[in-house]
Every structure is written in C-alpha cells, then in structure tokens.
Amino acid sequence: MKGIIFDLDGVICSTDKYHYSAWKKLADKEGIYFDAVINNRLRGVSRMQSLEIILERAQKSYTEKEKAVMAEEKNAIYVNLLKEMSEYDLSEEVKYVLQKLREYGMKLAVGSSSKNAKIILKQLGLEDFFDAVSDGTNITKSKPDPEVFLKAADFIGEKPADCLVVEDAKAGIEAAFAGGFKCAGLGEAAEHPKVTYKMEGFRDLLEICQ
Ligand code: BG6
Ligand code: MG
C-alpha cells in the first residue's frame, strides 16, 4: 500500500451527525418522516441525491426550483454547524493514526463527495496536512461512482491498486470497489460484502498498513 484515501464525513470527523441534524430540521419543517436509518442511505451521496432520498417519504411533490431552495436551506443550517467546529473536533485517535501513517511513508489524501470539505479541513486545522484533496468541487458524479477516488489517486500519483480507501458509507465502498481500490469499512460499511478490511475503529489502520 502506497496511498490512503480517506472519506471525510464520518471517517476523519463526526460531521455526519451535523448532516443528519440539518436534514432532520428541514424534514421536520416539511412534515416528512426521517430517521437515523434513512440517514444512513445519505452517507457518501451528493446533496441533491440525499434530498431525493428524503423526499421518497414526502406527501406532495416538489418542483426542481423548490428542491434547489430546500437543498440550499439544508446547506445553510449545516454550514452554520460547521462554524462551531475547531481542532478539538479532531479526535486524539484520528490525529495519532494520521501522524503514524505519515511516518510509515504513506501518501495521504481525502476523497469526499462534499462541497464543504475544505471548510471542514480548515476548521480541524488540517488544511495543509493531506497530500491531496478530491471533493465535491472536482467531480461530476458522486459515490458510488469511483470518480472522486480515481481523481484522488491521480492527484497523489498512485495507481488504485496501490491505494486503500477508508469509508463509512455503503456508496463509498461500492465506489472504491468499482475503481479497483482496496477498501476498509467503518461502522455500517464494515458489514458490506465488498470490503477488504472490516474496521472496528480508526486505530485498526495501523495494523492494516504495517
Ligand atoms: C458526503 C456525505 O460526505 O457529502 C453526504 O456523506 C453528503 O451525506 C455529501 O450529502 C455532500 O455534502 P455537501 O457538504 O456538499 O452537502
Ligand atoms: Mg462518510
């Protein structure tokens, strides 16, 4: 293994919780049923695709314009939550493991569907840490399409077969598999049949990459 490509939301940090509470606020306002189980289906997929999944439970249909307004409203709530983040939101475990992986000589990249990835990295004090960041601003197709990871591998100059993707999303595992990457799954993604490594915690990467 020469490179590691990390998903961001739910892997490096707990911004998956902020996505959930922002969508929940919007869904409640619209009177649409939404819970943590449905929320798991939003992991890794784009903002608009996330909205479409939430709207499966809506009692009425929405125009494209209304959908765009709702997605923007959710993002405004989400970005407000991000403002409260600081380097204290980076866990000691993640910080330690990232430093160790760097000492092992690994190239480290981010592969996230989010258009807010760079803001989050800045809040965490990681804006200059990764060798490359591939995110929602440089892709045309969201996970489960492999584009975001293929771009990340290209940015660090490594072949997919030499890189490990770390994911908490089913869509992310499928993207990694489709792109020819090895992948390590966290949380629900650990149960996906296509994972190369099941992780119980972030620290497991030290063993996987040794
Ligand atoms: C992914 C999240 O990282 O980014 C998804 O897992 C989210 O839930 C997607 O929809 C897009 O994020 P953003 O910040 O561009 O709305
Ligand atoms: Mg994620």
Side-chain angles (χ1 to χ4, degrees):
M1 222 105 67
K2 295 178 181 164
I4 309 184
I5 304 171
F6 297 91
D7 172 52
L8 185 63
D9 300 321
V11 169
I12 296 290
C13 54
S14 301
T15 36
D16 51 333
K17 291 188 191 131
Y18 296 156
H19 276 295
Y20 178 47
S21 49
W23 281 126
K24 180 77 180 134
K25 207 165 182 179
L26 188 92
D28 286 352
K29 190 179 141 207
E30 294 294 321
I32 304 169
Y33 180 78
F34 181 56
D35 64 16
V37 176
I38 302 172
N39 183 65
N40 272 340
R41 291 174 56 210
L42 313 188
R43 291 178 189 270
V45 306
S46 72
R47 196 179 305 163
M48 283 316 281
Q49 282 168 306
S50 297
L51 178 63
E52 292 294 349
I53 293 170
I54 291 169
L55 294 183
E56 286 171 8
R57 295 281 194 130
Q59 305 295 327
K60 58 173 245 196
S61 58
Y62 293 84
T63 64
E64 289 310 309
K65 205 171 161 197
E66 284 168 333
K67 288 182 196 172
V69 170
M70 286 164 86
E72 235 174 78
E73 199 179 324
K74 178 267 173 177
N75 192 51
I77 301 168
Y78 179 65
V79 169
N80 245 326
L81 293 170
L82 297 183
K83 283 188 194 143
E84 303 301 315
M85 283 179 84
S86 72
E87 59 201 55
Y88 296 109
D89 290 285
L90 184 67
S91 75
E92 286 303 320
E93 182 183 9
V94 171
K95 204 159 82 183
Y96 175 78
V97 171
L98 287 176
Q99 259 146 18
K100 278 280 162 200
L101 293 172
R102 169 106 324 135
E103 283 168 28
Y104 291 176
M106 296 282 171
K107 287 187 189 167
L108 307 177
V110 168
S112 165
S113 301
S114 175
K115 292 195 166 106
N116 293 302
K118 294 198 180 76
I119 303 176
I120 296 166
L121 291 171
K122 185 156 191 284
Q123 296 295 78
L124 295 173
L126 289 177
E127 68 263 58
D128 297 321
F129 179 80
F130 290 95
D131 299 305
V133 176
S134 173
D135 63 19
T137 64
N138 63 252
I139 53 170
T140 55
K141 284 164 272 166
S142 196
K143 301 168 191 174
D145 189 281
E147 184 182 10
V148 73
F149 296 139
L150 292 173
K151 288 250 166 81
D154 187 44
F155 293 162
I156 57 172
E158 297 295 346
K159 291 198 274 302
D162 293 326
C163 297
L164 176 76
V165 165
V166 187
E167 262 293 348
D168 71 320
K170 189 173 165 267
I173 299 292
E174 277 160 13
F177 188 79
F181 296 87
K182 292 186 197 75
C183 58
L186 266 173
E188 242 197 31
E191 306 310 321
H192 195 286
K194 286 178 181 160
V195 292
T196 323
Y197 306 101
K198 270 179 182 240
M199 289 168 74
E200 274 169 24
F202 201 80
R203 185 176 278 267
D204 294 355
L205 284 174
L206 295 180
E207 226 171 279
I208 294 169
C209 297
Q210 236 167 15

